[in-house]
Structures are given as structure tokens and as C-alpha cells.
């Protein structure tokens, strides 16, 4: 008997692809990754143009063609037409999971996964507290074991510092970067804290320079961008996590550890981000970073596992679709 198969379909953006990968791996799949590029007119009109979706995937991307997978996990606007095509052309055999609000009725998919600060609800909609991801206790332990010897000089408590940066709604200014660096430096000087800092591509060269300059000579490691990102290892080795507020994924991953998560506010925001952060604060999962390191306990976030369980349940009860055509 052939083992079940799984595709991941996105336009290749890491934030989308990683959510899909995390879910696929939680289900036990080693998925085939499809990075698609839409041709006109679907490129301009997706997700609203559903007619002829079998022709939407164009040159420059991976083909969407049989044999169809048993499970297709997709995210992003460019993935919608290929997902609809696979569901229709497989005769409903392909179970389609769309991560994030597709902006079209949820009934066009077998399951839609959205953060609960989105308004979309329905019988086949699962609302999560945070973003899906691939951070697991096993992955953290393995990464910590790899990095541990090289960071043995850092004292405890150790703090993983996850620094994002500018996006569509937030700004990490140089003043805020300096304030964050000074608070971290004070922890290292006054409380013997060991710092493990990983900037992102959005942090910016000027802000990275501020962090490096103000943490120089202290028990601090700032990733220089060379080699593999030590992000997972830092999380695994940390006693506390300090994370900027601009990424739902970073905060969600930090909150999956069960360790105290201290959130750094940046300039800007949006109703969805504010709702996300307010809900996690109300549940006692995160607190604002004030320059101190109080400790607290909470049940680690495991939205990825919960969604995987729901997919297993639905797949176990799935009947051949009598109306897979749209």
C-alpha cells in the first residue's frame, strides 16, 4: 500500500512555508514543497478568480499536476488557485488545508486555519492563538545540544533575544534599538545574565551595529549572520526569552517553550497585532519587557499540535467527496 503523500504550496515566502512545514511534520509527513508563480490573469485576480484554476500555475514555479497528493497544505494568496485546482481535479481525494484567511468562502477548502484575532469562523475553520511553526521540544533539545559547548562560557540565567524589525505596521527605530541594548547591557552587568541575540533580516545594519556596540565586552553573543541561524539553539538554551512584538511567528515560537516570554514594544501596530498580544497577556503567557526578568509559568502554546490532531480526525472520517467540483 502506498504511503500517504503531502504537498506544501506557497510562493516561497519563509513565514508562510515554515507554518506549512511545521504542520506537515507534526502530521508525520516529509512533504513535497511546491513554490508557485501565477500567470496572468490569476496573478492579478487571485484569490477571486476561480475559473480555470488548473491553468493558474505558470512558468518560473513548480508544476501543479498529478499524481495528486492525499494532503495539500497551502498558505498565501498565490497558493489558492493551485489548491482549488488540486481539490477539483483529484475528484475531492486531496484534502486541502489553507493557512490564513483565503478571502474567499471557507467552503472551497476542507479546512481553513486562521489566528483567532481574524474574524473568519465556520464549521471547517480552526482558530489558533498564535502562528503555526516547526519548533518542538525535540528540535529545541537537539539544537541546544549542538550549540551548548560553544556557549558554555555564558552565565545563567541566559536570555535568548529575538530581534525583528520594520514591517508593514511596526518600526524598530535606532532609539528603540539603543533602549533595548541598554536594558540588556544592564542585565548583563548588574545581574550576571548571559545574552544570546539573534537579529533578523528586518533588523537593519544600523540597529545591529547599536546592539553589537552596546553589548561589547559583556557576556553576550550576537549572531553575525554567518552559517546557520542559531535561533533554535538559543531558544533551547535560554531561561528567558525577550522578543520584539513585530512577528506573530516569533512570539508564538517563544511561547511554545513554556519559558517566560518578555515582549518588546516597537513603534506602530495594528488592531490584529494588538488583539494577539493582549490575548496572550491576558492568559499569562507573555509580559512586556521592562528591563527586569521575573519568572512565571504557563502551559506552552501548541497550536500546531492541536491543528494536526484536527486534521487527523477529519481525515479519519472523510468520505469521498460527492461534489468536489466548484
Amino acid at each position: 500500500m502506498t504511503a500517504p503523500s503531502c504537498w506544501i504550496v506557497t510562493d516561497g515566502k519563509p513565514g508562510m512555508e515554515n507554518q506549512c512545514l511545521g504542520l506537515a511534520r507534526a502530521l508525520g509527513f516529509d512533504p513535497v514543497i511546491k513554490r508557485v508563480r501565477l500567470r496572468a490573469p490569476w496573478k492579478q485576480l487571485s484569490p477571486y478568480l476561480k475559473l480555470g484554476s488548473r491553468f493558474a500555475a505558470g512558468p518560473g514555479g513548480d508544476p501543479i499536476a498529478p499524481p495528486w497528493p492525499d494532503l495539500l497544505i497551502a498558505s498565501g494568496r498565490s497558493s489558492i488557485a493551485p489548491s482549488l485546482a488540486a481539490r477539483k481535479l483529484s475528484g475531492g481525494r486531496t484534502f486541502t488545508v489553507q493557512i490564513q484567511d483565503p478571502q474567499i468562502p471557507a467552503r472551497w477548502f476542507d479546512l481553513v486555519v486562521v489566528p483567532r484575532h481574524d474574524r473568519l469562523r465556520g464549521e471547517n475553520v480552526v482558530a489558533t492563538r498564535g502562528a503555526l511553526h516547526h519548533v518542538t521540544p525535540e528540535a529545541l533539545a537537539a539544537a541546544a545540544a549542538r550549540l551548548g559547548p560553544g556557549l558554555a562560557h555564558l552565565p545563567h540565567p541566559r536570555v535568548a533575544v529575538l530581534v525583528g524589525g520594520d514591517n508593514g505596521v511596526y518600526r524598530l527605530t535606532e532609539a528603540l534599538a539603543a533602549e533595548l541594548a541598554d536594558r540588556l547591557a544592564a542585565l548583563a552587568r548588574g545581574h550576571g545574565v548571559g545574552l544570546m541575540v539573534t537579529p533578523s533580516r528586518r533588523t537593519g545594519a544600523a540597529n545591529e551595529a547599536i546592539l553589537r556596540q552596546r553589548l561589547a565586552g559583556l557576556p553576550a553573543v550576537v549572531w553575525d549572520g554567518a552559517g546557520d541561524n542559531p535561533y533554535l539553539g538559543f531558544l533551547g538554551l535560554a531561561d528567558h526569552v525577550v522578543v520584539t512584538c513585530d512577528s506573530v511567528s516569533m512570539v508564538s515560537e517563544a511561547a511554545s517553550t513554556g519559558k517566560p516570554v518578555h515582549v518588546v514594544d516597537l513603534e506602530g501596530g495594528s488592531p490584529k497585532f494588538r488583539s494577539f498580544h493582549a490575548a496572550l497577556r491576558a492568559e499569562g503567557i507573555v509580559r512586556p519587557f521592562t528591563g527586569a526578568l521575573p519568572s512565571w509559568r504557563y502551559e506552552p502554546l501548541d497550536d500546531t499540535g492541536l491543528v494536526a490532531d484536527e486534521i487527523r480526525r477529519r481525515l479519519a472520517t472523510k468520505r469521498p467527496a460527492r461534489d468536489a467540483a466548484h
Side-chain angles (χ1 to χ4, degrees), residues 124-209:
N124 66 328
V125 177
V126 176
T128 63
R129 290 185 288 177
L132 305 187
H133 54 78
H134 55 78
V135 176
T136 64
E138 296 77 16
L140 291 174
R146 289 194 300 271
L147 283 187
L151 298 175
H153 63 286
L154 290 179
H156 288 273
R158 291 171 172 174
V159 180
V161 185
L162 315 180
V163 186
D166 294 356
N167 60 18
V169 295
Y170 282 110
R171 283 190 66 231
L172 174 57
T173 64
E174 292 183 22
L176 286 172
E179 181 181 342
L180 172 60
D182 287 344
R183 286 180 170 181
L184 295 171
L187 287 171
R189 289 193 187 96
H191 301 278
V193 168
L195 301 171
M196 302 172 292
V197 184
T198 174
S200 79
R201 288 174 294 181
R202 294 182 291 105
T203 302
N207 290 328
E208 280 194 44

